[in-house]
Amino acid sequence: MKSDLLITGVSQLVTAEGAEAKHGRAMSALKVVNDAAMAVVDGRIAWVGRASDWTGDAGATVDVGGAAVVPGFIDPHTHAVWAGDRLADFEARAAGATYEEILAAGGGIRSTVKATAAATREELVALAKPRIDALMRSGATTIEVKSGYGFSIAGEIAMLEAIDVLAAGSRMRGGATLLATLLIHLPPVDAADRRGYVEQVCGELIPVAARRGLASAVDVFVEREAWNVDEAEQIFACAKQRGLRIKLHSDQFHSVGGVELGVRLGALSVDHLEATGEEQIVMLAGSKTIGTIVPGVSLHLGIPAAPGRKLIDAGAAVAVGTDLNPGSSPLYSSAAALALAVRMNGLTAQEALVAGTVNAACALGLVDRGRLEAGCVADFLVLDSGDWRDLIYTMGANPVREVWVGGRKVGA
Ligand SMILES: [Zn+2]
């Protein structure tokens, strides 16, 4: 074989095998190749094996000096585009203020909506770029970014356009792949306006987003204080009609039927699950829908952690994301999200790596990444250690030394 690039000097090459989502016990099955090498052709992985088994020619060889190599992370859930900040909220909460008191003082999510609506598209792009860069440095080579702070049809389109500009810029620089999701986040404050907004979403927002290719999925926040199951189902019917995939913010504070709806409609994923009970766990485990957990939220807000251990024991496929956002998860590291999933949600190191790679890819409907196998995009990480477990063990320092996208080192 003639390859463009050969990566050698790999102490351990660690990957899940097969494009399908890993459920239950299959989440523990990783392939570890010691003293490995990996060949890349046209930005894709062409061969993986023990270095001593390589018999081809390589245009260039890069020796990573005894480091471990894992697939680039897929961050399947972020809100990386926003304006304003929630520093005053955080300070007030740390001093004992309640959620209601913070809202009454003009803080909370509505303050993010207001600041985001007031920002230009260029400002939103400039604010989001360093956040995307931080996620990428922490190992994320594919990042989902949601709209949802626009709070009006024009505001949501402006957010999707900002994500589109960010995605194009990242592509040009050889950085992470960005995937946009249209999030229908909070309903209008006045209950009388809810129906009209759903009609606008279905009649205008989704068709425009689909026609212009501004989103690949539609997400709805199903919660007592947000949208109910009937409204979400109406929105999802429109999304499906336009060929968009669906996902849900579900069971964050209360279990109000979001998981049931997601499973029934064949959603790619139901995300959050902090308030998910036994019944929903069984239902999810019996489905193809992925349960995406976001431990940063539990850490930051002090709410119960999603039952990651129970989900996997029941046979579900679990993914992990940062949920990077200003209000509930200012977590700028995809590697840290995996480390937290072990400590807070009871995953093993092996399960966390699968949750942040192949399962997270499946949560976005992607089959060509999240693994180091022939045919996949050559997105991989060179760790700052010869033992891949340092990835999950390390807290505070970045365990990722080099990020490679499409067979090229980022920033090189
Ligand atoms: Zn979220």
Side-chain angles (χ1 to χ4, degrees):
M1 179 191 295
K2 174 94 178 80
S3 79
D4 304 332
L5 171 70
L6 187 71
I7 303 290
T8 61
V10 180
S11 65
Q12 303 172 327
L13 184 142
V14 185
T15 181
E17 294 178 280
E20 71 289 348
K22 309 296 176 253
H23 289 251
R25 225 175 275 159
M27 284 186 68
S28 304
L30 286 176
K31 180 169 93 170
V32 180
V33 185
N34 296 314
D35 302 317
M38 180 166 69
V40 176
V41 176
D42 286 338
R44 293 202 172 245
I45 296 168
W47 180 90
V48 168
R50 286 183 70 91
S52 54
D53 292 339
W54 169 253
T55 54
D57 290 324
T61 299
V62 172
D63 188 330
V64 299
V69 167
V70 300
F73 304 140
I74 318 291
D75 196 333
H77 186 139
T78 85
H79 306 252
V81 174
W82 77 81
D85 68 67
R86 301 279 281 279
L87 297 173
D89 292 9
F90 183 52
E91 190 178 14
R93 198 156 48 77
T98 65
Y99 183 74
E100 289 74 20
E101 286 165 348
I102 291 169
L103 275 184
I109 189 165
R110 304 271 176 194
S111 72
T112 298
V113 167
K114 215 169 138 187
T116 305
T120 64
R121 197 185 69 183
E122 288 67 31
E123 285 168 338
L124 291 178
V125 169
L127 286 165
K129 186 176 172 297
R131 299 170 191 149
I132 298 291
D133 288 346
L135 291 175
M136 196 168 62
R137 279 195 303 274
S138 79
T141 50
T142 298
I143 302 169
E144 186 256 22
V145 186
K146 299 176 195 293
S147 71
Y149 297 128
F151 206 42
S152 67
I153 303 303
E156 289 299 319
I157 295 286
M159 282 194 76
L160 290 175
E161 286 174 345
I163 299 168
D164 199 45
V165 172
L166 285 160
S170 187
R171 203 161 41 234
M172 261 172 52
R173 288 189 304 276
T177 303
L178 268 53
L179 234 70
T181 296
L182 169 62
L183 170 61
I184 310 304
H185 207 165
L186 290 181
V189 183
D190 192 341
D193 299 335
R194 291 172 78 111
R195 231 181 114 172
Y197 192 70
V198 170
E199 279 166 16
Q200 270 187 301
V201 165
C202 282
E204 197 181 337
L205 184 52
I206 290 175
V208 169
R211 190 174 62 239
R212 293 179 55 195
L214 289 174
S216 55
V218 172
D219 186 340
V220 179
F221 185 26
V222 177
E223 182 58 56
R224 235 180 242 176
E225 307 294 323
W227 300 100
N228 64 41
V229 166
D230 290 343
E231 290 163 332
E233 186 160 7
Q234 226 182 310
I235 294 167
F236 286 141
C238 306
K240 282 188 162 184
Q241 245 175 32
R242 302 282 170 169
L244 299 176
R245 313 296 293 266
I246 62 173
K247 37 206 312 114
L248 292 85
H249 274 67
S250 180
D251 296 33
Q252 180 175 4
F253 301 107
H254 308 93
S255 188
V256 296
V259 169
E260 291 85 339
L261 179 67
V263 167
R264 181 156 59 81
L265 298 183
L268 280 176
S269 69
V270 286
D271 301 29
H272 272 288
L273 311 177
E274 290 88 344
T276 292
E278 303 290 342
E279 223 175 289
Q280 290 78 27
I281 289 174
V282 171
M283 195 173 294
L284 200 50
S287 79
K288 286 193 165 173
T289 298
I290 290 173
T292 297
I293 58 175
V294 286
V297 175
S298 301
L299 182 69
H300 187 68
L301 293 185
I303 65 173
R309 180 74 266 137
K310 283 186 174 178
L311 282 162
I312 295 171
D313 286 345
V318 169
V320 173
T322 56
D323 196 8
L324 173 61
N325 80 82
S328 63
S329 186
L331 180 63
Y332 293 79
S333 166
S334 300
L338 304 189
L340 286 175
V342 170
R343 283 140 179 116
M344 302 188 65
N345 306 94
L347 272 62
T348 64
Q350 287 79 4
E351 289 163 349
L353 185 63
V354 168
T357 55
V358 66
N359 277 12
C362 292
L364 296 177
L366 302 171
V367 294
D368 66 344
R369 59 197 64 210
R371 328 169 258 132
L372 302 177
E373 291 191 293
C376 287
V377 291
D379 292 359
F380 60 91
L381 311 175
V382 178
L383 302 184
D384 209 13
S385 169
D387 190 326
W388 77 274
R389 295 172 303 176
D390 263 316
L391 179 63
I392 306 298
Y393 173 79
T394 301
M395 292 194 286
N398 188 0
V400 176
R401 194 173 80 199
E402 294 170 11
V403 177
W404 290 67
V405 172
R408 293 174 72 163
K409 191 165 137 186
V410 171

